[in-house]
Amino acid sequence: MNGLLVLIPVALTLGLIGLAAFFWSLRRGQFDDLDGAALRIFVEEEEEAEEQGHGGAAGG
């Protein structure tokens, strides 16, 4: 019974910290552009391929 008196406030505190972190990330714009982060990796590969293509043509 004494364990519950310690564990319940600890669980509530951790839950409030997680909720505060969620709202903080929401205000910072972490969830504004969900698709852009997933597609950004493809854009970098295309730019590198174009740079290698131009570099190879000029050097050869």
Side-chain angles (χ1 to χ4, degrees), residues 2-13:
N2 289 336
L4 290 177
L5 295 176
V6 175
L7 291 177
I8 289 174
V10 168
L12 289 174
T13 303

Side-chain angles (χ1 to χ4, degrees), residues 20-41:
F22 172 74
F23 283 119
W24 175 79
S25 65
L26 196 64
R27 286 185 183 177
R28 299 283 293 184
Q30 295 291 321
F31 303 108
D32 287 348
D33 187 19
L34 295 177
D35 293 332
L39 297 176
R40 197 170 301 135
I41 191 168

